[in-house]
Amino acid sequence: MKNLNKDELVLIEGGSISGTLISAVTRGINTILDMGRALGNAIRRIGSNNVCPL
């Protein structure tokens, strides 16, 4: 392993996209898709008059 001095340490760049960020974006997209499916299902049931009475 190479020892770096302070000037070399300043030049180190980290990764721009982490696994945590990708996971969070994927979870957000899945949530939006699930909400769309639920809304579509509700609209379909109302349109076909297949709604349970309260």
Side-chain angles (χ1 to χ4, degrees), residues 2-52:
K2 180 180 175 186
N3 290 331
L4 302 176
N5 61 29
K6 288 183 182 181
D7 295 330
E8 292 171 329
L9 287 172
V10 171
L11 298 176
I12 294 176
E13 295 180 11
S16 60
I17 298 178
S18 68
T20 305
L21 178 63
I22 292 172
S23 176
V25 169
T26 303
R27 212 171 316 127
I29 290 171
N30 284 336
T31 301
I32 291 171
L33 288 174
D34 288 341
M35 289 171 48
R37 286 187 194 108
L39 179 62
N41 189 27
I43 292 171
R44 181 185 55 82
R45 289 183 63 180
I46 290 170
S48 65
N49 202 17
N50 189 15
V51 182
C52 297

